[in-house]
Amino acid sequence: MFIILIKRKLFVRWMLIGILFSLAMGGLSLAVIEVASKKPRHYFEKRGEIVWELSMPHKAIAITFDDGPSPSFTRQIMDLFSHYGGYATFFVTGSQVEKFPEVLQEIVRRHHEIGNHLYHHRPIPLLSEYHLYLELQKTHQLVQKLTGITIRLFRPINGFYDEKVVRVARSMNYQVIIWSQDSQDWSKKDGKEIAANILKHIRPGQILLFHDQGGNRTNTVDALKIILPELAAQGYHFITVSQMIKLSQHPSTTPVLKNPAGADELKR
Ligand SMILES: [Zn+2]
């Protein structure tokens, strides 16, 4: 009896190990299939479904900030743009907007652009298509309620993209925006290093990625203190992502770059 009990215990243990192993292998093969079937950048770029950078006849770039708003860093960044001229695009998360609605409203009052960076900042591969939709929708409605603005831009978490991302974005009439230069302000790099790297690779039509939340962003602010005056001196204009999309679509019919409210003009 005792021997039978032990054998049965062993049998159950091995059976469990077997089940776990096959589940793991199944998951792994699904992941491999997913990676193997993932379409490359040029597929989405050619179809205009995702934007990394744009062909730009004007000396203009779009500087973007993810993960905010933050009462401290978003405001410091906006003050720098007020000082050096131009406008930024802030891809906000709904959970941060709930905490700092007044900062979101200030972004709009100061004529910067708002984009959607989901509600909980969850990795997209972990979300079903429906949950991705819910994440987008929650932030969309929150921003609409607080500012009256209808967001049209979506920055996926970690720049992850696939057909699911495009499908959900399209169903909400959104444009997916990645970036062409990552400032790497999330790393341990200081402001000088970040600025040097950005300046070295800058060209018209680029979309730059920074963060105004998710830790101490003093390095981001320090980098902008170098980047903004240097690029302004080189004749660059800092425009929103939507402005840049419009300019790239109608380069000859838009001779003057205007801010979203139309109050200021940026000379070419
Ligand atoms: Zn993010």
Side-chain angles (χ1 to χ4, degrees):
M1 183 66 184
F2 183 64
I3 291 167
I4 292 170
L5 261 180
I6 286 179
K7 277 190 175 165
R8 192 175 289 169
K9 264 189 174 176
L10 271 175
F11 175 73
V12 170
R13 189 177 295 168
W14 279 110
M15 203 171 72
L16 279 174
I17 289 169
I19 289 169
L20 286 174
F21 180 74
S22 38
L23 279 176
M25 289 317 285
L28 198 65
S29 56
L30 273 180
V32 168
I33 289 166
E34 200 176 314
V35 168
S37 66
K38 195 184 164 190
K39 302 241 177 0
R41 167 176 168 166
H42 66 81
Y43 171 86
F44 296 104
E45 202 164 31
K46 203 172 58 189
R47 296 155 65 99
E49 291 173 339
I50 304 179
V51 170
W52 279 264
E53 66 178 296
L54 291 154
S55 143
M56 185 59 39
H58 313 274
K59 233 177 173 185
I61 53 166
I63 304 182
T64 70
F65 299 88
D66 284 9
D67 301 354
S70 137
S72 165
F73 298 112
T74 310
R75 286 193 169 120
Q76 288 182 55
I77 289 164
M78 288 194 288
D79 287 347
L80 287 174
F81 276 90
S82 296
H83 186 76
Y84 293 108
Y87 302 92
T89 304
F90 293 90
F91 289 93
V92 299
T93 60
S95 53
Q96 279 298 114
V97 170
E98 299 264 25
K99 284 188 215 159
F100 308 109
E102 68 290 348
V103 185
L104 179 88
Q105 287 161 334
E106 195 178 326
I107 293 173
V108 174
R109 263 203 317 277
R110 295 174 80 165
H111 307 304
H112 298 286
E113 182 163 42
I114 303 282
N116 195 327
H117 196 46
L118 300 190
Y119 188 88
H120 289 107
H121 202 271
R122 286 192 181 130
I124 292 173
L126 301 183
L127 296 173
S128 69
E129 196 155 329
Y130 180 60
H131 280 101
L132 176 59
Y133 169 79
L134 288 183
E135 281 274 320
L136 264 177
Q137 183 70 3
K138 206 168 169 189
T139 299
H140 184 88
Q141 287 175 343
L142 187 59
V143 170
Q144 203 158 43
K145 193 179 84 188
L146 288 167
T147 66
I149 281 181
T150 303
I151 309 182
R152 287 288 164 243
L153 306 177
F154 168 37
R155 161 73 48 78
I157 310 302
N158 301 324
F160 179 89
Y161 62 90
D162 63 4
E163 287 179 301
K164 174 179 81 178
V165 166
V166 169
R167 258 197 317 274
V168 175
R170 279 204 155 176
S171 76
M172 291 183 63
N173 202 15
Y174 267 54
Q175 174 69 56
V176 181
I177 307 292
I178 314 277
W179 57 80
S180 54
Q181 260 219 79
D182 177 358
S183 66
Q184 298 187 359
D185 58 349
W186 42 266
S187 69
K188 295 270 181 252
K189 287 184 176 154
D190 65 21
K192 272 187 189 166
E193 274 180 276
I194 293 168
N197 207 36
I198 291 277
L199 294 171
K200 198 167 138 192
H201 299 106
I202 201 75
R203 60 177 175 268
Q206 276 197 332
I207 297 173
L208 309 186
L209 168 69
F210 288 88
H211 297 83
D212 56 339
Q213 226 291 115
N216 184 349
R217 295 298 179 208
T218 307
N219 59 347
T220 307
V221 175
D222 288 346
L224 289 168
K225 284 180 185 166
I226 301 168
I227 292 166
L228 295 183
E230 174 56 37
L231 289 182
Q234 289 180 26
Y236 272 94
H237 296 295
F238 314 120
I239 61 177
T240 65
V241 171
S242 289
Q243 286 175 318
M244 207 156 79
I245 290 172
K246 267 188 212 147
L247 271 178
S248 72
Q249 287 166 346
H250 310 287
S252 56
T253 53
T254 317
V256 177
L257 308 174
K258 289 187 175 179
N259 81 15
D264 292 355
E265 283 188 2
L266 298 169
K267 290 177 201 118
R268 287 170 79 189

